[in-house]
Amino acid sequence: MVAPILTYNMLTDRGWSEFAALLIYGFLVSLIVWTIRFSQRTQAEGEARAAALAAASAEASASASAAAEDRPAPA
């Protein structure tokens, strides 16, 4: 919490307006929130794709083993 206050003081001491400093902090906070939400959404989508792939693989394996049981033994 000290770093933002020090940085804010440095910005205002160098001639930046309070409004500009607050705009910068607002943008940085929104960027952090967006990054966190994007990474959570991407992880959830990846897990859903992995689950769908596992289900499709299990289904294909089951249908292949059922087809193998229906075939007569090679002579």
Side-chain angles (χ1 to χ4, degrees), residues 14 24 29 38 57:
R14 293 180 187 217
I24 290 171
V29 168
F38 180 77
S57 177

Side-chain angles (χ1 to χ4, degrees), residues 29-73:
V29 168
S30 65
L31 184 63
I32 290 168
V33 169
W34 179 85
T35 302
I36 291 169
R37 293 189 68 187
F38 180 77
S39 65
Q40 289 173 344
R41 185 179 72 219
T42 303
Q43 182 178 1
E45 290 172 356
E47 290 172 356
R49 278 192 298 253
L53 182 62
S57 177
E59 184 180 333
S61 175
S63 65
S65 64
E69 290 175 5
D70 292 343
R71 272 189 258 149

Side-chain angles (χ1 to χ4, degrees), residues 10-34:
M10 287 172 43
L11 287 175
T12 54
D13 289 344
R14 293 180 187 217
W16 288 56
S17 68
E18 293 179 8
F19 181 69
L22 291 176
L23 275 177
I24 290 171
Y25 282 116
F27 175 75
L28 291 176
V29 168
S30 65
L31 184 63
I32 290 168
V33 169
W34 179 85

